[in-house]
Amino acid sequence: VITAATPIDVPRDWVGLRDRVRDCQHCKLCATRTQTVFGVGVEDAPLLVVGEGPGADEDAQGEPFVGRAGKLLDQMLLSIGRSRSKNTYIANVVKCRPPGNRDPEADEVEACRPYLDRQIELIKPKLIVGLGRTAAQRLLHTDEPLSKLRGPLFEYGPTRTPVFITYHPAYLLRSPREKAKSWQDLKRIHQLLQQHDAG
Ligand code: URA
């Protein structure tokens, strides 16, 4: 188990990175996972979507967002012409399922940080969309509540990649009334990506 202060050398290519994640034992989640869930999609996509971590379905299948929340996410993306097979990459803050679907703990998020950082470096997305509080706080290095993070455009890393935060689809399944606001967010995301396509 490493701490946030432990430097770890993460491969700079997709194959090496994928292998490293598959065998990772840097936090306690490795003891309870079925398998790691690396990420899926187009490796140079303009849009990167970041979720929290694998649930039971993802842990079983090895792919992010394949359960109920994933079906909703796919519909949301499709409504703005995006999909994991065409123009989007989907990854999580942590690559291993937290037991019982609890939130990932701070040490787990930190242990996994270099992997998502490297994925972002390799993808070079034009826009990063963070889903829900865990992704928002991790991408933006903050403890602020989601209510403060959803809406404004932020920047990520030295490349100053734009970051937009919206609701997690699992939250929308529990609170369907928020879908109207989520739809506003999707339109905004679409606009931001169109600006990129045009420019
Ligand atoms: N929820 C997430 O945050 N990620 C997944 O991959 C699935 C559900």
Side-chain angles (χ1 to χ4, degrees):
V1 171
I2 62 160
T3 68
T6 312
I8 68 162
D9 180 30
V10 174
R12 294 178 184 279
D13 63 285
W14 281 111
V15 173
L17 182 61
R18 190 180 283 277
D19 286 354
R20 181 67 61 85
V21 168
R22 190 194 53 229
D23 300 331
C24 183
Q25 303 200 349
H26 283 160
C27 85
K28 57 189 178 297
L29 295 181
C30 68
T32 48
R33 72 181 181 222
T34 303
Q35 59 188 317
T36 59
V37 177
F38 180 73
V40 70
V42 176
E43 290 178 352
D44 59 355
L47 174 62
L48 167 64
V49 176
V50 178
E52 177 175 305
D57 295 311
E58 292 76 23
D59 177 69
Q61 295 183 43
E63 182 170 326
F65 284 102
V66 291
R68 259 184 91 218
K71 301 278 176 290
L72 177 56
L73 176 63
D74 281 343
Q75 287 173 17
M76 290 162 63
L77 291 174
L78 204 58
S79 75
I80 54 166
R82 303 276 150 184
S83 75
R84 64 183 81 194
S85 60
K86 234 172 50 194
N87 49 22
T88 301
Y89 198 92
I90 303 176
N92 282 309
V93 167
V94 294
K95 310 307 189 201
C96 299
R97 181 192 183 201
N101 296 350
R102 66 160 168 75
D103 290 350
E105 293 169 1
D107 61 315
E108 296 157 359
V109 171
E110 286 315 308
C112 224
R113 183 176 291 277
Y115 299 139
L116 181 59
D117 279 349
R118 186 69 86 221
Q119 286 174 309
I120 294 171
E121 246 179 78
L122 288 166
I123 297 165
K124 299 185 180 63
K126 300 304 167 206
L127 179 68
I128 302 173
V129 170
L131 302 174
R133 180 177 55 89
T134 301
Q137 293 182 343
R138 182 264 182 251
L139 287 166
L140 302 173
H141 276 280
T142 178
D143 292 329
E144 295 276 357
L146 185 67
S147 56
K148 290 249 174 67
L149 303 175
R150 176 187 158 265
L153 207 53
F154 296 94
E155 288 177 347
Y156 181 86
T159 53
R160 307 180 66 180
T161 307
V163 176
F164 186 83
I165 304 300
T166 186
Y167 297 116
H168 194 291
Y171 170 74
L172 296 173
L173 290 172
R174 295 192 301 271
S175 310
R177 253 181 278 174
E178 304 288 23
K179 280 188 182 175
K181 284 194 261 172
S182 166
W183 174 236
Q184 296 304 316
D185 289 354
L186 282 168
K187 285 197 286 195
R188 181 84 199 287
I189 292 163
H190 184 54
Q191 265 173 13
L192 290 165
L193 287 162
Q194 278 186 320
Q195 280 167 21
H196 155 64
D197 290 341

